[in-house]
Amino acid sequence: MKDWELRPATPADVEPVAELRAVVMRPDLERLGRYDGHRVRQRLRDAFDPAHTWVIEADGAFAGCVALRPGEDAHWLEHFYLAPHLQGSGIGTAVLRTLLARCDREGLPVRLNVLQGSPARRLYERFGFGVDREDPVDVFMMRGPAPDGPPAPAALNGDRKM
C-alpha cells in the first residue's frame, strides 16, 4: 500500500474533487442510464463542505476525498472517492477504518448511500454496514458503532492527520 494521509479540505479543493467524482462515478451512472457530466460535477459543488471533508493524499499527491457530515442521529459518510489507479490498493479500506474508529469512539452510527450495483458496496458490507432501504438508483446503508471499534490494520500507525 502506498503511503497516505488525510488533510483537511479547503474551498480550493472543490474542482479537483468534482472532477474525480465525475471520473469515479461515470461507469455506475452510465450503467444506470443517469450519467450527465455537468450534473455530476455540479451536485458535488453544491454539497461540498470543507468543514467536514478531508482530502486523501497518496505519496504526497491528490488521491481522493471523503466527508463525514454530522446528522441528527448519525454521521453521514459522503463523497468517498479514490482515484481509479489507487482503487484496490488498500487505501480506501484504511481510510474507512480510520473514520469508523472515530465514530465508534463517539458511539455514533454511520449512514451512507451507494449506487445500485457499485462495487464499493462490498467494502461497506465488510465493515458491517447493512441495507436500511433502497430504491432503483441508491442503496442506503447503516452501521452501528462497534463497542471496541474496527480492528486497526498494520498499516495504520496513528500518524494520520484528521
Side-chain angles (χ1 to χ4, degrees), residues 40-104:
V40 74
R41 289 171 179 87
Q42 192 59 47
R43 286 189 65 170
L44 184 282
R45 291 178 191 118
D46 292 344
F48 187 75
D49 181 358
H52 301 293
T53 305
W54 293 270
V55 168
I56 303 164
E57 293 183 342
D59 291 336
F62 175 80
C65 77
V66 63
L68 193 62
R69 179 179 53 83
E72 280 186 35
D73 63 343
H75 281 306
W76 279 88
L77 182 70
E78 300 173 322
H79 310 301
F80 192 5
Y81 311 117
L82 190 61
H85 72 281
L86 294 171
Q87 293 175 10
S89 69
I91 293 173
T93 296
V95 169
L96 184 58
R97 185 171 275 119
T98 298
L99 293 175
L100 292 178
R102 174 184 162 189
C103 293
D104 290 341

Side-chain angles (χ1 to χ4, degrees), residues 103-114:
C103 293
D104 290 341
R105 284 190 302 274
E106 295 173 8
L108 293 171
V110 179
R111 295 181 184 278
L112 60 84
N113 67 295
V114 64

Side-chain angles (χ1 to χ4, degrees), residues 5-74:
E5 69 180 15
L6 294 173
R7 69 160 172 82
T10 69
D13 292 312
V14 70
E15 289 307 316
V17 171
E19 189 58 35
L20 179 61
R21 181 179 196 261
V23 169
V24 169
M25 292 188 68
R26 185 175 190 143
D28 286 329
L29 289 171
E30 284 180 340
R31 180 179 41 77
L32 295 168
R34 300 184 63 95
Y35 183 78
D36 174 325
H38 172 74
R39 185 169 187 249
V40 74
R41 289 171 179 87
Q42 192 59 47
R43 286 189 65 170
L44 184 282
R45 291 178 191 118
D46 292 344
F48 187 75
D49 181 358
H52 301 293
T53 305
W54 293 270
V55 168
I56 303 164
E57 293 183 342
D59 291 336
F62 175 80
C65 77
V66 63
L68 193 62
R69 179 179 53 83
E72 280 186 35
D73 63 343

Side-chain angles (χ1 to χ4, degrees), residues 77 80 96 112 120-129:
L77 182 70
F80 192 5
L96 184 58
L112 60 84
R121 179 175 171 175
R122 289 189 305 272
L123 171 65
Y124 300 131
E125 288 172 339
R126 284 197 320 263
F127 276 89
F129 283 85

